[in-house]
Amino acid sequence: MELFSEERSAHVVAESFAGTADPRLRDVLTALVRHLHAFVRETELTEEEWCAGIDFLTRTGQKCDAARQEFVLLSDVLGVSMLVETINHRSGGTSTESTVLGPFHMVESPPRELGENIALDSKGEPCLVTGQVKGPDGEPLAGALVDVWQANADGFYDVQQPGVQPELNLRGLFTSDEDGRFWFRTIVPRYCPIPDDGPVGELLAATGRHPYRPAHMHFIVTAPGYRPVTTHLFVDDSPYLDSDAVFGVKESLIRRFALVDHEARAAEAGLPNPFRTVHFDVALLRAAHAGGSLD
Ligand SMILES: [Fe+2]
């Protein structure tokens, strides 16, 4: 084996992986070492800085438990989650764009009837959400599953406020009708902070970054034979659309939540007057058109 040297360090370490049985594992580890060594070389990392980095990663791991994933958060604020998501779900502009899953899909959304109100405590600005699930040729997809979850009017998810919000507040699993349409009642979500009381919060503070995400609703839409999409619907008048802490905003996912002040329409929607409304069509690719992937 070639002995270690500053100039050839990455090559020497990569050579140690030559016997890796899984070729993909060997390629990924080799690239990782190449970039890590280039990073150390470029920054000429001091021993104190190396120790600080190890300490940061140690504390990041120690912060993780069943309800908190600090490493995912770290990946999010460094833009790695969005890059992985974007690379793996290139849509070619023919399907609804995807964005990060986020850390709050930890409970299953309860199946609900079309039109039901997912705001179990009815706190916040009432809102009617309508949309249609379609395939790439515009064909309506009946029986598509539309999984929705969102923060409340204070910017918190139900799982962040047990005992304050009703269980399964602002979550619902809807099935589209024969025309692929779905609709439900909710409240307008507020912008919300990512958890910033751990090492990732320290990183944000040290770099002068805020922890906020713009107001959004989460969607996972699935239909048999089509490629699922995990995405958000962003509220167009929310702060932080141009500085999302996890880089999740895509222009095509921003919608106006129009104010409707009309007694008859409010009565028809089953909401108090006035209310807000938004329309969000979701286009899915055929599974066969997704590069052979059936995920
Ligand atoms: Fe979220």
Side-chain angles (χ1 to χ4, degrees):
M1 192 169 102
E2 181 179 338
L3 292 182
F4 191 91
S5 65
E6 184 180 331
E7 299 71 29
R8 301 264 300 158
S9 66
H11 177 77
V12 171
V13 177
E15 282 295 290
S16 75
F17 300 137
T20 309
D22 179 341
R24 174 64 178 166
L25 178 62
R26 187 183 60 228
D27 289 351
V28 169
L29 282 175
T30 300
L32 178 67
V33 163
R34 187 168 65 241
H35 288 275
L36 269 178
H37 284 229
F39 158 74
V40 174
R41 218 185 307 279
E42 179 186 321
T43 56
E44 303 212 311
L45 212 59
T46 67
E47 287 168 310
E48 289 74 24
E49 288 163 346
W50 179 85
C51 282
I54 294 290
D55 175 62
F56 178 83
L57 291 174
T58 302
R59 290 187 296 109
T60 298
Q62 287 166 341
K63 192 75 185 172
C64 294
D65 59 31
R68 176 77 175 255
Q69 232 305 349
E70 194 77 357
F71 268 114
V72 172
L73 218 48
L74 180 59
S75 167
D76 290 350
V77 303
L78 294 179
V80 175
S81 305
M82 265 310 278
L83 185 56
V84 171
E85 170 70 35
T86 304
I87 286 171
N88 282 275
H89 297 274
R90 294 182 184 121
S91 70
T94 54
S95 80
T96 297
E97 285 195 285
S98 59
T99 187
V100 285
L101 174 67
F104 296 118
H105 192 245
M106 44 177 43
V107 291
E108 278 193 25
S109 301
R112 298 195 190 281
E113 298 296 322
L114 289 169
E116 262 192 76
N117 196 339
I118 62 172
L120 304 182
D121 55 5
S122 296
K123 286 183 188 160
E125 206 178 353
C127 180
L128 174 68
V129 179
T130 61
Q132 190 180 22
V133 186
K134 299 176 197 173
D137 298 319
E139 70 275 26
L141 301 183
L145 291 178
V146 181
D147 188 348
V148 181
W149 68 104
Q150 66 169 82
N152 69 3
D154 295 324
F156 294 102
Y157 291 82
D158 56 350
V159 290
Q160 292 177 288
Q161 295 188 310
V164 175
Q165 293 188 44
E167 230 174 281
L168 300 176
N169 193 31
L170 297 163
R171 296 176 190 269
L173 181 65
F174 298 92
T175 305
S176 68
D177 73 3
E178 63 273 16
D179 296 319
R181 294 187 187 281
F182 63 89
W183 64 96
F184 59 91
R185 290 172 290 157
T186 183
I187 53 105
V188 179
R190 202 199 72 161
Y191 62 88
C192 50
I194 60 168
D196 65 346
D197 58 343
V200 171
E202 290 172 30
L203 186 151
L204 294 179
T207 53
R209 282 174 54 178
H210 67 71
Y212 291 103
R213 302 209 58 213
H216 59 276
M217 281 180 198
H218 292 262
F219 284 80
I220 297 176
V221 181
T222 59
Y226 291 81
R227 188 166 178 169
V229 69
T230 299
T231 193
H232 294 4
L233 164 59
F234 290 96
V235 183
D236 82 335
D237 59 358
S238 171
Y240 308 115
L241 277 171
D242 58 355
S243 63
D244 184 354
V246 307
F247 308 97
V249 178
K250 289 181 176 170
E251 196 77 42
S252 70
L253 302 175
I254 303 171
R255 293 287 183 286
R256 195 161 82 91
F257 283 55
L259 182 71
V260 178
D261 187 357
H262 194 284
E263 289 290 352
R265 282 190 63 191
E268 190 190 341
L271 289 171
N273 190 54
F275 64 101
R276 299 228 279 173
T277 187
V278 63
H279 189 81
F280 186 50
D281 286 341
V282 179
L284 302 183
L285 292 173
R286 285 195 195 88
H289 287 186
S293 168
L294 286 173
D295 63 344

